[in-house]
Amino acid sequence: MKRLLLSIHDVGPRFEGEVDRLLDRLSLHAAPDTLAMLVVPNHWGAHPLLPGSPFATRLRRWAEAGVSMFAHGWFHKDMATHDDAIARFKARHMTAGEGEFLGLDRVTAARRMAEGRDLIEQVTGVAVTGFVAPAWLYGAPAREALGQSGFALAEDHMRVWHPPSGRILARGPVITWASRSRARIASSLLAARLLPPVLRHAPVARVAVHPGDAHVPVLLESIDRVVRRLARTHRPARYGELLAG
């Protein structure tokens, strides 16, 4: 059967309440051991994931229950100056200043990837499943660093791949929602209506939710509809299954 990959982004102490609500929502449709969490080690430099803290204990319990853990940047904040016009466009229009790995040099990107992986594995006691850049945005140096990082999985808006080899494991748009303005809410609701029929025949469908979704009832309702619809044709699955073919 075709696979459905479900993920919660921006997991960390900054959004503990929102993560709880989203986890409860997705758990209505899928077992916890098929879900993925994308963990931010220190959101915007103000909300560090501290070993031994109450949230770290909860993260370990989720990992022990089978939730797949991804490293999701380090700060989740873009602090780079973008000289390239395309990068400036992406930084301005594809995210609210959170494309952390869009403008990093290779050495800095590699260091943050490694430190994020080490911290999350220390906290959870399990190996991370992969790496996903904040806002799914990677500059060329970050992609180079990722290929040498040892992560088994990575993804962007349109694909999931194996960084060491570059092998594409799944193709197709991820369904996600935006909550920071009325216009973005409306556009994401439209996409959430249009994409499930397109993905019905795809071998892999992906759905990603974010903390901001938890505060917008119409988005939560849309998430339920999308997951219910895709679950008719796709089996909730772990990201790691893609590595088996």
Side-chain angles (χ1 to χ4, degrees):
M1 190 176 184
K2 298 182 284 290
R3 295 184 176 102
L4 173 60
L5 305 179
L6 304 172
S7 60
I8 302 174
H9 284 227
D10 307 348
V11 173
R14 166 67 178 85
F15 295 116
E16 184 171 5
E18 290 88 344
V19 169
D20 281 336
R21 293 175 66 183
L22 295 171
L23 181 59
D24 288 345
R25 205 85 180 192
L26 293 182
S27 294
L28 297 173
H29 309 283
D33 64 358
T34 64
L35 304 177
M37 289 185 173
L38 278 59
V39 183
V40 182
N42 188 2
H43 194 272
W44 282 54
H47 303 277
L49 174 61
L50 301 175
S53 66
F55 187 82
T57 299
R58 299 194 69 201
L59 200 64
R60 176 176 282 261
R61 289 174 181 166
W62 287 326
E64 291 172 346
V67 176
S68 299
M69 297 291 168
F70 281 77
H72 192 40
W74 183 266
F75 293 118
H76 208 287
K77 182 178 183 180
D78 182 4
M79 294 177 279
T81 300
H82 300 287
D83 298 324
D84 179 74
I86 294 176
R88 285 199 303 272
F89 176 86
K90 290 179 178 179
R92 181 175 300 176
H93 298 287
M94 296 182 68
T95 180
E98 298 195 313
E100 178 185 2
F101 280 72
L102 184 58
L104 292 183
D105 63 83
R106 185 185 60 79
V107 172
T108 303
R111 184 178 69 249
R112 292 187 189 180
M113 289 174 188
E115 291 178 352
R117 173 176 51 206
D118 291 348
L119 175 61
I120 294 165
E121 291 182 346
Q122 177 187 356
V123 165
T124 64
V126 301
V128 300
T129 299
F131 176 86
V132 179
W136 292 289
L137 293 174
Y138 305 79
R143 287 185 182 273
E144 182 183 353
L146 182 57
Q148 301 170 356
S149 67
F151 286 104
L153 288 170
E155 73 169 9
D156 59 21
H157 285 94
M158 293 300 298
R159 61 179 184 146
V160 183
W161 75 95
H162 178 245
S165 66
R167 180 166 60 98
I168 305 300
L169 304 174
R171 295 184 186 274
V174 60
I175 301 178
T176 190
W177 292 261
S179 61
R180 66 180 185 266
S181 71
R182 290 183 179 179
R184 291 183 181 274
I185 289 173
S187 64
S188 62
L189 289 173
L190 177 61
R193 287 200 299 271
L194 296 176
L195 286 176
V198 174
L199 294 171
R200 185 164 60 93
H201 299 292
V204 176
R206 292 179 291 149
V207 173
V209 299
H210 292 79
D213 303 340
H215 298 288
V216 185
V218 69
L219 294 186
L220 292 174
E221 293 167 5
S222 178
I223 290 167
D224 281 335
R225 285 194 301 270
V226 166
V227 176
R228 276 199 306 267
R229 184 168 186 177
L230 288 173
R232 297 172 192 162
T233 54
H234 292 68
R235 171 182 58 84
R238 297 172 61 83
Y239 270 81
E241 291 183 26
L242 297 180
L243 294 168

